[in-house]
Amino acid sequence: MLWEVVWDLLLLIVPVLIGFAFNLLRNYYKKKSIKNLLRFENEKDETLDINCFTANPGIRDTGELVELGYVFEYMAIGEIKSEFYEILPNGTNINVSMANLQFEKISPTLLKNNLLVIGGPFHNAVTRDLFSKIENLPFHFEEDASLVYTYEDGTTDKYTPSLYDPNNNKDKNSFYDNDYALILNVKSPYVKGKRIILIAGCRSVGCYGASIYLTEHLYDIKKQIKSDEYALVITCNGEKENLIGKPKLCNVYPLEIKYKNK
């Protein structure tokens, strides 16, 4: 009788323990795959420091229809920080600051860590400096904020955001209902062994959409990324204060970045 009770308990407990162990193992390898995608897997320090720079227009931005800061970019940072703290080592530190309008005034100490840069070259001095240092960058932003990728044969992929303006009033009632964003993961030109993850939307809503896509699809896009440096182009739909629907992947571009004067 006692043996039957013990046997019943074993039949109840053992599957639970096996399931628990399986979930631990699955989560371990999933997180390892995600860290491989982010390219932080070679980090040797006990702590992983990531400095985040947001865009800084310095004045009211009539093109983006916002005052000094970009709300969608702050939302993007919150999304990414929340996810990164879940998937990266316990000692991870993510520090956020608004990029100085003049790159030369940014403390060199802040550039010595891994960088998470939010915002394109028009309003983020770190992005602008990074682009200026890359000898063979196949991406550029045009004056209308279109994102363009140029192939070696001269053909291009062009991604242009669209403005929703039902009342033909390009101030209070206008917003970008369709946007695109570039996600770039490259080696840092500032310190050997560090990485830069850049999220640059054609408009600010694209930054938020790209951050959502990145955090929700890290494991999925890991299967598509073979190169050490890479770029993704994301599209999203939005309204004044939020996204509409799910951001989608437009394209994956493998990269092999060469920096000037190196």
Side-chain angles (χ1 to χ4, degrees), residues 134-259:
I134 298 177
E135 182 177 315
N136 60 334
L137 182 67
F139 291 97
H140 74 273
F141 287 91
E142 299 188 338
E143 289 186 4
D144 65 350
S146 293
L147 173 65
V148 179
Y149 175 85
T150 303
Y151 292 91
E152 291 184 356
D153 63 2
T155 59
T156 60
D157 292 336
K158 188 172 183 179
Y159 306 96
T160 304
S162 61
L163 184 69
Y164 179 72
D165 188 16
N167 300 317
N168 195 30
N169 182 346
K170 300 184 184 306
D171 184 21
K172 295 182 180 179
N173 298 317
S174 302
F175 59 89
Y176 289 90
D177 63 338
N178 177 249
D179 200 6
Y180 297 91
L182 171 67
I183 300 176
L184 197 68
N185 189 317
V186 297
K187 298 173 184 176
S188 173
Y190 307 115
V191 178
K192 185 178 180 180
K194 303 298 182 180
R195 304 291 300 199
I196 294 180
I197 297 178
L198 166 69
I199 297 181
C202 293
R203 299 294 180 176
S204 62
V205 65
C207 291
Y208 184 44
S211 71
I212 295 291
Y213 187 89
L214 183 65
T215 56
E216 290 185 351
H217 295 86
L218 277 170
Y219 187 67
D220 296 331
I221 60 180
K222 167 66 172 66
K223 301 173 184 177
Q224 303 183 52
I225 303 299
K226 304 300 181 184
S227 58
D228 183 50
E229 297 175 295
Y230 59 88
L232 311 174
V233 175
I234 308 300
T235 184
C236 65
N237 295 317
E239 44 94 20
K240 290 184 178 180
E241 298 177 349
N242 215 329
L243 296 179
I244 299 174
K246 292 286 187 179
K248 298 178 182 178
L249 176 67
C250 292
N251 220 330
V252 177
Y253 298 94
L255 300 174
E256 190 174 348
I257 294 298
K258 294 180 182 178
Y259 289 109

Side-chain angles (χ1 to χ4, degrees), residues 113-131:
N113 296 323
N114 298 288
L115 302 183
L116 173 62
V117 184
I118 310 292
F122 297 142
H123 301 304
N124 193 316
V126 178
T127 303
R128 190 159 55 250
D129 185 76
L130 174 65
F131 279 15

Side-chain angles (χ1 to χ4, degrees), residues 2-17:
L2 179 61
W3 170 248
E4 291 179 355
V5 173
V6 173
W7 180 252
D8 288 341
L9 288 174
L10 288 175
L11 289 177
L12 179 64
I13 295 173
V14 170
V16 174
L17 293 177

